[in-house]
Amino acid sequence: MKIYEIKLAGAIDKNTKLPIAFATIHRVPGADQITVTISDAAGKDRQHLVEADCPEDIFSMAQCIQEQLDGCKGTNSMIHDYYRLLQDFAD
C-alpha cells in the first residue's frame, strides 16, 4: 500500500469546537518534493514544498506542522510523530 495524500485536523478550539488548523500532505508519484498545505480556521492556506530526500527539510516541516496543528511548540516526541508521518511520503 502506498499513501499519496493525507489530511490532518489539529487540536480542537474550546470555544468554537472546531480544529484550529488543518494540514494536507501530498506527493505526486516520482516527484522530488512533498507538498504540505496548512489551513487555519479562517480558511487561509499556506503551501510548503519539502525536499523528499532531505531529512533536515522533513524535520523542519514536521516542527511547523506540529506547532500549527497542536497550537504550541512541542517536545521532540511530539515533533517526531509528524516526522515519521512525513517520512512515509519520502519513501
Side-chain angles (χ1 to χ4, degrees):
M1 176 178 71
K2 184 72 176 158
I3 299 171
Y4 293 106
E5 183 174 278
I6 191 166
K7 296 179 187 259
L8 307 171
I12 302 297
D13 181 291
K14 292 177 184 176
N15 295 326
T16 65
K17 308 289 189 228
L18 298 171
I20 59 173
F22 297 90
T24 302
I25 303 168
H26 176 81
R27 183 174 181 199
V28 174
D32 293 335
Q33 298 172 327
I34 302 164
T35 303
V36 177
T37 304
I38 298 176
S39 306
D40 63 17
K44 182 179 176 188
D45 295 343
R46 286 175 289 139
Q47 190 174 75
H48 306 268
L49 298 176
V50 182
E51 293 300 321
D53 63 350
C54 180
E56 293 84 10
D57 202 19
I58 293 171
F59 188 81
S60 176
M61 190 71 249
Q63 287 176 305
C64 182
I65 293 171
Q66 183 279 317
E67 191 168 341
Q68 294 298 309
L69 294 187
D70 295 344
C72 65
K73 197 167 202 148
T75 63
N76 273 342
S77 65
M78 293 168 75
I79 295 166
H80 273 276
D81 289 340
Y82 293 100
Y83 180 74
R84 285 187 293 279
L85 183 65
L86 285 166
Q87 282 182 314
D88 288 340
F89 290 86
D91 296 333

